[in-house]
Amino acid sequence: MKKEMELYIHIPFCVRKCAYCDFLSFTADEQMQRDYVQALQKELDYYGEKYKDRVVSTIFVGGGTPSWLSETAMVAIFDTVYRNFSVSDHAEISIECNPGTVSDRKFAAYKSAGINRLSIGLQSAHDEELKLLGRIHTFDQFLKTYDMARHHGFSNINVDLMSSLPGQTARYFLDSLKKVVRLKPEHISAYSLIIEEGTPFYKIYHEDVQRRENGMQTTLLPSEEEEDLTTKLTRVFLQEEGYHWYEISNFAKPGKECRHNIGYWKRAEYLGVGLGAASLLDNVRYSNTTDIYQYLKNPGQEAPGEPLSRTAQMEEFMFLGLRMVDGFQRTEFSDAFGIEIEGIYGEVLHSLQKDGLLEKKEGRIRLTEKGIDVSNYALAQFLKSEG
Amino acid sequence: MSIDQSKIRNFCIIAHIDHGKSTLADRIIEKTGTLTSREMQAQVLDNMELERERGITIKSQAVRIIYKAKNGEEYIFNLIDTPGHVDFNYEVSRSLAACDGAILVVDAAQGVEAQTLANVYLALDHDLDVMPVINKIDLPSAMPDEVAQEIEDVIGIEAMDAPRISAKTGLNIDDVLEQIVEKIPAPQGDAKAPLKALIFDALYDSYKGVIVFCRIKEGTVKVGDKIKMMATGASSEVTEVGYFGAGQFIPCEELPAGMVGYLCASIKNVRDTRVGDTVTNADRPCKEALPGYKKVNPMVYCGVYPADSAKYPDLRDALEKLQINDASLHFEPETSLALGFGFRCGFLGLLHLEIIQERLEREFDLDLVTTAPSVIYRVHKTNGEMIELTNPSNLPDPSEIDYMEEPVVAAEIMVTKDYVGAIMTLCQERRGTYISMEYLDANRALLKYDLPLNEIIYDFFDALKSRSRGYASFDYELKGYQQSELVKLDILINKEQVDALSFIVFKDSAYERGRRMCERLKEEIPRHLFEIPIQAAVGGKVIARETVKAMRKDVLAKCYGGDITRKKKLLEKQKEGKKRMRQVGNVEIPQEAFMSVLKLDED
């Protein structure tokens, strides 16, 4: 049997950069978009040859806003993929789209390209919040996009929402959530807003973040208590509605969990193409350049690889695996590393268990709900500290 | 080789901090050709890395220079550098004892400052001839004539013909050199008499053993001589004598009376050498020892602990090495429940404390935790016994205490008239007793206050600078002890008393200090999985409380293929932060928190 591999394709372009976004994305004219697609094709050609013995199990086109590209561009990209790689018949093939950038023609093209999962960036069902975030669309535009997608027969749709927005109460976020659940999407990602350095939001809100971290009263952002309530209510509500809470920020109807993303957390092998994309192949991590001009000049050039030591592999196994609500089977660890997990992390597991942050049950190891709330603290324990 | 005593000049340079002492020393060395300007590294004499960084002189340094004067004769100059800060008066005193004269550097823009006076008095105490030099005349605000007048009025020494120079640009340095020949007296002393040499500094070298810096007052010393330290009684044979090149030791045949130089005598035990002691011949001793120096006592104590407890022996070793040429540093072992094994160290002042701490960390590569500084309190017990308390944790039970006394200093603050009010307010706030005020000229006043030492050891200097916009200068000396209402303030973290955080405080300030301390610790202590009460207590009674709330939410919302490396680094950074923590009970306390008491007045 051929070895499996996931494929990630990065499209770094957006109509406009949102105020909170620190992803590798920016606006671009048609010329640059064309050049970029050509570069992607070159890179796909290169890696297609190199990994021709692999079978691609999932494809994820992320961004940026991949749906901003023209349908011809997207079809060209997928043609190149199919020409170079053997893609499994049951592959999960996702694309991220934003309301205001799609059309009937694009959806039809996606369908014909074999795309079978859409991830729609909504963020909020309230227009004033969308405006605050710097989004280019309204809730109404989202509804139209969603209907159109269903109309084209997309039966696996994710909707992204964002909580802990400035001034937002738990109740108000729940209202967004309810409006979305009514549409019965197969998957919902509910992220809390992270104020990232270098974004316009950082200048406005970072002092508040500092205050919140120190347990003090916030002025613009929701308080810690409100944030806490929001995540708790979200989990309860979505589970009542039949969604499976399977990762810190992800919920899905049973069987509709995103296979591509689970691959990241289970350390499956993946090839990333496009600007700044990362790959994990044979326990070597590669990262493409983040400089667009350099990328356009030299797209097929192999990115410098960082071989992961055994310790680094174990650390990643832990801090990624425990992001999943159901954690992992202890045998997954011993199969991967040839040693029982207690032999390496016995003490840490024990101390986290003692603090009620982790549990071992029926051969599985996972964080408790309390552990998930402070997961940075819990997961950091698995990382080595020098000296 | 014979040296004509009348051609020797032993002198030092004294100045208020920043008036250009080290720069002048550099110029003199450069002008006399000891080093070419290309070889000059700015401030040759300040050769401790730390000194150059901070632009201050901590340890005395010496250098021998040959100067060809206008009269055609060659002179030997022995220039001895001195520290400028009030904490290092002791060091100044040591260097002065090796000299016959002093160059007084005064800034042409700032004029006479508190430290100028203090240093002149020290020099006069040692019977030195003081020769003024007016520096920085290249500054637009320079007023050399007014400053010369001021020197005559305030200090009372002849200053009209003082060289007006710019050490920075090298202007008129020749005048200084000529005046050294004319005005600084040549040394006296019989080269044939029994040896009598004053030790003014020493340092330890792993090859040569202790290197003794000395001024030969009488007699001559050469290799092979049997010598004896008069105070310690240790005797040994001289293996090398020499003088000081710029930054290096240059061996020579002998050191006759009047010279400044060094000697090595394979002295391995550092305790045998005491700065201030007299060296003499073992078989032909001089009749009586030189007066030596006033022994200085530490005024400020604090606990110094290795961050890694395994480094305790290294810390002891480092302290012993530093003590060789810094006799004012005291230390003795102590233990703390919170911090483990360490030392209670005594310092001349806060700057001295900081310098030692930095030298330990830098030169000996130690990672330290220091506790809040304390002064020496006298505790009079009901049974008539009196103990000198240097560690607040050792305070006896209040029922055993009759009364307590605290040290008081006589402080002199020189300040321009606009800030007199602000500085008086500051002194009142610090429980000062007003003694006097006099105007030195139309613009400047000299304020005298008696101040409890524990009110000035933390941040008085900073407060003084900020409230006078840098225009005040400050000097103090220990005056005595006064009875005072003092209490021990204890800090409880998560209900456990942390001994290393206790401090002694004036009773009426206890509430305020306790409250501030709790607030400060709340900021310093990171959130844990559980809530942590922080309490301040006096005699078991809680007077202030703050709470570090339990950690509620600490989550990375997204982590996908592209950002695994970055997210992992974030988590690693989070964990890294925990390394500089001390576990007390089940609470992790950052090392900086133990110095929190120092920052109570920052706002």
Side-chain angles (χ1 to χ4, degrees), chain A residues 191 212-213 215 224-225 228 231 249-250 261 264-265 285 315 323 372-373 375-376 380 383 386, chain B residues 527 529 549 551-561 564-566 568 571-572 574-575 579:
Chain A
Y191 302 110
R212 186 160 67 193
E213 276 172 10
E224 194 176 39
E225 289 75 13
D228 202 29
T231 52
S249 310
N250 286 292
N261 286 341
Y264 291 137
W265 304 317
R285 175 147 357 258
E315 288 175 356
R323 288 188 68 87
I372 285 175
D373 288 336
S375 53
N376 285 353
L383 304 185
E386 286 130 48
Chain B
R527 298 170 76 179
L529 294 170
K549 287 206 274 179
M551 190 195 302
R552 274 189 108 127
K553 228 176 162 317
D554 187 11
V555 181
L556 293 170
K558 293 187 184 187
C559 185
Y560 298 111
I564 287 171
T565 310
R566 194 167 64 103
K568 188 176 170 201
L571 291 182
E572 275 166 353
Q574 182 158 354
K575 192 167 189 198
K579 266 169 57 185

Side-chain angles (χ1 to χ4, degrees), chain B residues 198-382:
Chain B
L198 178 71
I199 305 179
F200 67 89
D201 207 345
L203 62 82
Y204 188 81
D205 179 283
S206 37
Y207 297 106
K208 297 178 176 176
V210 179
I211 301 176
V212 175
F213 293 23
C214 54
R215 159 72 191 269
I216 315 295
K217 296 279 189 182
E218 302 271 356
T220 300
V221 65
K222 56 183 185 306
V223 174
D225 284 355
K226 280 222 162 32
I227 53 160
K228 189 174 126 186
M229 309 289 177
M230 293 187 78
T232 63
S235 57
S236 50
E237 194 179 300
V238 176
T239 55
E240 183 177 324
V241 300
Y243 55 85
F244 307 106
Q248 55 186 329
F249 296 109
I250 300 173
C252 64
E253 277 172 35
E254 58 172 30
L255 291 174
M259 276 302 287
V260 170
Y262 70 91
L263 63 85
C264 308
S266 40
I267 307 162
K268 289 291 176 218
N269 195 340
V270 299
R271 287 180 196 81
D272 289 341
T273 315
R274 213 176 271 169
V275 170
D277 198 356
T278 303
V279 186
T280 190
N281 297 107
D283 18 349
R284 193 163 75 107
C286 59
K287 286 204 179 67
E288 54 189 24
L290 292 157
Y293 316 116
K294 189 168 77 175
K295 185 171 155 49
V296 287
N297 292 314
M299 302 236 252
V300 178
Y301 281 80
C302 80
V304 177
Y305 292 82
D308 170 6
S309 51
K311 292 281 174 70
Y312 175 77
D314 299 11
L315 176 58
R316 185 183 51 214
D317 194 47
L319 285 167
E320 278 179 359
K321 293 236 165 75
L322 285 185
Q323 201 183 35
I324 296 172
N325 65 357
D326 189 350
S328 51
L329 169 67
H330 281 219
F331 61 91
E332 56 183 62
E334 72 170 8
T335 51
S336 150
L337 286 174
L339 300 174
F341 290 101
F343 295 92
R344 175 95 349 206
C345 299
F347 306 94
L348 300 173
L350 260 207
L351 181 68
H352 188 209
L353 182 159
E354 261 178 60
I355 299 280
I356 294 290
Q357 193 186 336
E358 280 201 50
R359 289 187 67 186
L360 287 170
E361 293 191 332
R362 242 186 247 202
E363 294 171 28
F364 297 91
D365 200 21
L366 291 163
D367 202 0
L368 302 176
V369 186
T370 47
T371 65
S374 169
V375 302
I376 309 167
Y377 297 97
R378 287 184 180 161
V379 183
H380 295 265
K381 293 170 70 173
T382 45

Side-chain angles (χ1 to χ4, degrees), chain A residues 330-331 333-334 337-346:
Chain A
R330 54 191 316 123
T331 50
F333 187 92
S334 53
F337 301 108
I339 182 169
E340 283 300 312
I341 189 164
E342 274 79 7
I344 306 285
Y345 294 116

